[in-house]
């Protein structure tokens, strides 16, 4: 159950109380209506904490890939719990496309300052300026695919051997095939036909020189699990996840933000103001909104329970081809 005394308390206090309550709920359960949900939530949390501790034990230079989205924010909370009372023992890294939602960037900087953790930022614009990638043009242009080169360069620069990410198997079919410890070759590429078995929660972090591992602690979570955890833990998230009035325009059945110059808009595409929110907060150029009046965590959780469409359904980059995500992952994508 959520402790009302959490409000206004320091993060360390809230983590201590949350850990104690989590253990008590696991032992004694709660009332029948939500007993299963609480126990399942605790099992997922325990699994994720176990994975994060295995990363710290098996790798020399891990990093947590942080986007400012709900999944990476959840990972940060899990990392706090995994290593409390010590600080998170690895840095956070954001691959910034330069086309992120301003609300997300502001939240990222605020969270890092509050927690006192190291943040590494590498910019796609630098890769463009150096001639390593070419910026797309046209109606559906996006910098999302360009992140791969910037990410691989950063991994090489800092010699990271494990990159912790917030991908989940329920998001997309290519991600459903990936292991929790996903080995990438010395070119950062993923071979879906050459993966290690992970029987009985045994995670093998042994890698060859030049290889690195992508780690997915919340791989077995669903979107609803993440939101339920955010609600239970009272985790702060960017305001863009909640319903708000926004200038938008419609294209191909998608709702696009018209409050910036990033998203291409034709002259005949009419701007209007609607109540919307974003289920995912990727690059603005490929992330569309959904009509919603869910302006609280409780309303968002209720909305997700009723939804029949994956949150990735609002990402145009996944619709370029039937295997768009798998191809990007094979090239080194997150």
């Amino acid at each position: 159950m959520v402790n009302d005394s959490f409000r206004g308390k320091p993060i360390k206090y809230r983590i201590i109380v949350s850990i104690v309550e989590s253990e008590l709920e696991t032992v004694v359960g709660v009332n029948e209506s939500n007993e299963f949900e609480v126990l399942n939530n605790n099992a997922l949390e325990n699994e994720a904490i176990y994975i994060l501790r295995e990363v710290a034990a098996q790798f020399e230079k891990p990093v947590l890939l942080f986007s400012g989205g709900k999944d990476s924010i959840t990972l940060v909370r899990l990392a706090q719990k995994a290593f409390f009372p010590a600080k998170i023992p690895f840095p956070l890294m954001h691959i910034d496309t330069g086309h992120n939602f301003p609300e997300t960037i502001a939240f990222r900087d605020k969270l890092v300052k509050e927690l006192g953790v190291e943040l590494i930022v590498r910019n796609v614009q630098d890769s463009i300026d150096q001639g390593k990638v070419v910026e797309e043009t046209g109606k559906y242009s996006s910098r999302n695919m360009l992140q791969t080169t910037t990410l691989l360069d950063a991994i090489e620069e800092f010699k990271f051997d494990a990159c912790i990410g917030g991908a989940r198997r329920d998001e997309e079919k290519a991600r459903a095939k990936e292991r929790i410890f996903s080995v990438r070759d010395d070119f950062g590429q993923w071979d879906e036909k050459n993966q290690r078995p992970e029987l009985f929660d045994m995670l093998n972090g042994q890698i060859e020189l030049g290889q690195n591992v992508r780690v997915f602690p919340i791989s077995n979570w669903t979107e609803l699990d993440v939101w339920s955890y955010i609600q239970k833990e009272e985790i702060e998230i960017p305001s863009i996840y909640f319903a708000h009035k926004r200038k938008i325009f419609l294209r191909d059945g998608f709702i696009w933000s018209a409050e910036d110059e990033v998203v291409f808009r034709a002259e005949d595409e009419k701007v209007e103001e609607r109540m919307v929110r974003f289920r995912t907060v990727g690059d603005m150029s490929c992330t569309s909104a959904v009509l919603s009046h869910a302006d609280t965590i409780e309303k968002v959780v209720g909305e997700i329970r009723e939804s029949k469409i994956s949150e990735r359904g609002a990402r145009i980059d996944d619709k370029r081809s039937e295997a768009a995500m798998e191809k990007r992952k094979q090239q080194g994508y997150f």
Side-chain angles (χ1 to χ4, degrees), residues 5-216:
S5 63
F6 275 13
R7 294 183 174 85
K9 295 291 185 180
I11 290 176
K12 286 185 178 181
Y13 171 88
R14 291 163 62 180
I15 292 174
I16 293 172
V17 176
S18 179
I19 291 173
V20 172
E21 288 191 344
S22 176
E23 295 301 324
L24 287 174
E25 287 171 347
T26 302
V27 175
V28 303
V30 292
N31 47 31
E32 293 180 3
S33 62
N34 61 353
E35 180 176 357
F36 174 78
E37 192 168 299
V38 170
L39 294 176
N40 182 58
N41 199 282
N42 285 339
L44 291 170
E45 179 188 65
N46 291 339
E47 178 190 52
I49 287 174
Y50 162 71
I51 293 166
L52 287 165
R53 289 173 176 167
E54 283 294 303
V55 171
Q58 295 192 43
F59 297 97
E60 295 182 5
K61 289 201 70 176
V63 65
L64 193 155
L65 302 176
F66 187 79
S67 67
K70 67 182 186 310
D71 297 313
S72 58
I73 292 170
T74 298
L75 280 180
V76 170
R77 172 55 61 87
L78 290 165
Q80 287 179 277
K81 285 192 171 187
F83 304 107
F84 186 83
K87 283 189 175 182
I88 297 173
F90 35 73
L92 277 55
M93 183 166 71
H94 182 207
I95 304 302
D96 190 347
T97 65
H99 291 171
N100 296 99
F101 290 98
E103 297 93 331
T104 306
I105 297 299
F107 182 88
R108 178 200 70 184
D109 295 341
K110 176 176 176 287
L111 181 65
V112 168
K113 184 177 180 180
E114 286 180 354
L115 298 182
V117 296
E118 179 186 359
L119 173 67
I120 298 168
V121 179
R122 287 297 178 267
N123 299 288
V124 171
Q125 185 63 52
D126 292 337
S127 299
I128 295 172
D129 294 342
Q130 294 163 11
K132 295 180 177 179
V133 293
V134 178
E135 180 135 38
E136 297 179 358
T137 59
K139 190 175 181 180
Y140 297 104
S141 60
S142 170
R143 287 188 175 184
N144 197 53
M145 292 181 66
L146 308 185
Q147 294 180 90
T148 299
T149 297
T150 311
L151 171 64
L152 295 179
D153 285 347
I155 292 173
E156 177 63 25
E157 176 185 356
F158 293 97
K159 307 300 180 186
F160 292 128
D161 53 1
C163 299
I164 305 165
R168 309 186 318 270
R169 286 175 176 149
D170 75 314
E171 292 181 280
E172 205 274 341
K173 55 192 174 186
R175 286 180 167 172
K177 296 192 292 187
E178 196 154 22
R179 298 288 192 262
I180 291 174
F181 273 21
S182 179
V183 179
R184 306 298 176 97
D185 64 20
D186 49 359
F187 295 104
Q189 298 173 329
W190 174 59
D191 182 359
E192 73 280 7
K193 296 179 181 178
N194 185 24
Q195 298 190 77
R196 299 171 177 177
E198 293 179 341
L199 305 175
F200 311 110
D201 293 329
M202 296 180 65
L203 302 173
N204 179 5
Q206 294 186 4
I207 55 176
E208 302 293 335
L209 182 66
Q211 290 181 329
N212 66 83
V213 172
R214 307 293 170 83
V215 181
F216 304 109

